[in-house]
Amino acid sequence: MRRTLNVIRLQLINRQTFIWVPLIILGSAVVLSVLIYAMIPVDTPKYGGGGQAPLWYFFAIGISAMTLTFPFSQAMSITRRDFFFGTLLTAILGSAFMGVLFLIGGAIEMLTNGYGVNGYVFYLPWLWEAGPLGAFIVYFTLALFLFVVGFTGATIYKSWGPTVLTIVGVGLALILVGLAFLATRLDLWAQVWTGILDAGALGLALWGLVATAVLVGVSFLAFRRAIP
C-alpha cells in the first residue's frame, strides 16, 4: 500500500494535471454557458452540456499518465504492478473529486434559480432523476471511463505500436456500425431507445462501470508488454 500511495504522489506532483486544469476548464465552461443562457430571450429552463468539458479532459489525462509518467516511474524503479494500481486509484480519486464538484454545482444552480437566468450546466433533470447519489455515480463513471479509455489506448500503443492501436480502433468502429446495421435491419431501434429510457442515467452509468472494469482488465494484460 505504501508503494501504491507513492505512485499517487508521483501522479500528483504536477497538480495542474488532475486539479487546476480541470477546474479552469470547468469554470470557463460555466461562465460561457451562463453568458449564452443570458442571451436567450426565453423564461423556460435552459440546459446545456458545457459541464462535460472537464470530464472529457480525463481522456487526455489517461493518455498522459501512461505516455509521460510511466517512463519516469520505471527510471525510479517502481514496479509495473504498483504503477498500474496506483494510477488507477489516482483516477478513481480524481473522478470522485469531479463528481463532488458537479454535485456542488447542481446545488448552487438550484439555490440560485440557474444563476438567475434559469440556465443549468450541472443540474440536468435526466441525470438527477435518481437523486444526488445517482448523479454523483453518473459523473464519476463518465470521468473514470474516459480516463481508462485513454489509458488503455496509450497502453496498447506502448505495447504494440500505432498499427495495432489503429486496427483496434477500426475494429471497434466496425463492431458499432455492425450493431447499428442489425438494429436497423431488424427494426429494433424502438426497443433500443425504450431500454435506454427504462435504464435511466443511473442504469447506464452502472453498465459504464462494467465496461470500465473490462477495459481495466484489457489494459492490465497489455501493460505487461508496455515499453517505457
Side-chain angles (χ1 to χ4, degrees):
M1 179 58 70
R2 181 178 61 83
R3 295 194 297 268
T4 302
L5 293 176
N6 286 336
V7 174
I8 296 177
R9 295 191 188 98
L10 174 64
Q11 293 286 5
L12 295 178
I13 286 177
N14 184 2
R15 288 181 172 81
Q16 296 182 37
T17 302
F18 276 93
I19 299 176
W20 295 116
V21 172
L23 286 177
I24 292 173
I25 295 175
L26 182 61
S28 301
V30 171
V31 171
L32 291 173
S33 297
V34 172
L35 291 175
I36 293 173
Y37 294 153
M39 292 186 292
I40 301 176
V42 296
D43 296 328
T44 56
K46 298 176 280 286
Y47 303 100
Q52 299 178 24
L55 301 180
W56 287 98
Y57 171 69
F58 270 66
F59 175 77
I61 296 178
I63 295 175
S64 65
M66 181 62 193
T67 58
L68 300 181
T69 312
F70 173 60
F72 183 68
S73 72
Q74 297 303 283
M76 298 179 64
S77 300
I78 296 175
T79 66
R80 291 171 180 254
R81 183 185 182 90
D82 290 334
F83 177 82
F84 183 87
F85 287 107
T87 300
L88 182 61
L89 185 54
T90 306
I92 291 174
L93 294 174
S95 300
F97 174 67
M98 292 303 302
V100 170
L101 287 180
F102 272 62
L103 289 185
I104 294 174
I108 293 174
E109 290 176 347
M110 287 187 287
L111 291 173
T112 61
N113 189 32
Y115 310 104
V117 295
N118 207 13
Y120 300 88
V121 179
F122 306 106
Y123 188 74
L124 307 180
W126 190 63
L127 299 183
W128 284 71
E129 63 182 6
L133 179 59
F136 171 82
I137 294 175
V138 171
Y139 295 129
F140 168 82
T141 300
L142 182 57
L144 183 61
F145 175 76
L146 291 172
F147 177 93
V148 173
V149 169
F151 186 83
T152 303
T155 302
I156 294 174
Y157 176 84
K158 281 287 190 177
S159 299
W160 294 290
T163 301
V164 173
L165 179 61
T166 303
I167 292 173
V168 170
V170 172
L172 291 175
L174 289 174
I175 291 174
L176 292 176
V177 172
L179 292 175
F181 175 78
L182 288 176
T184 301
R185 289 297 300 270
L186 299 177
D187 197 21
L188 296 176
W189 282 114
Q191 293 91 321
V192 171
W193 291 116
T194 300
I196 292 175
L197 293 176
D198 290 342
L202 179 58
L204 294 177
L206 294 178
W207 280 110
L209 288 177
V210 174
T212 301
V214 172
L215 286 176
V216 168
V218 171
S219 62
F220 182 76
L221 294 175
F223 188 70
R224 295 180 296 178
R225 299 175 55 92
I227 300 173

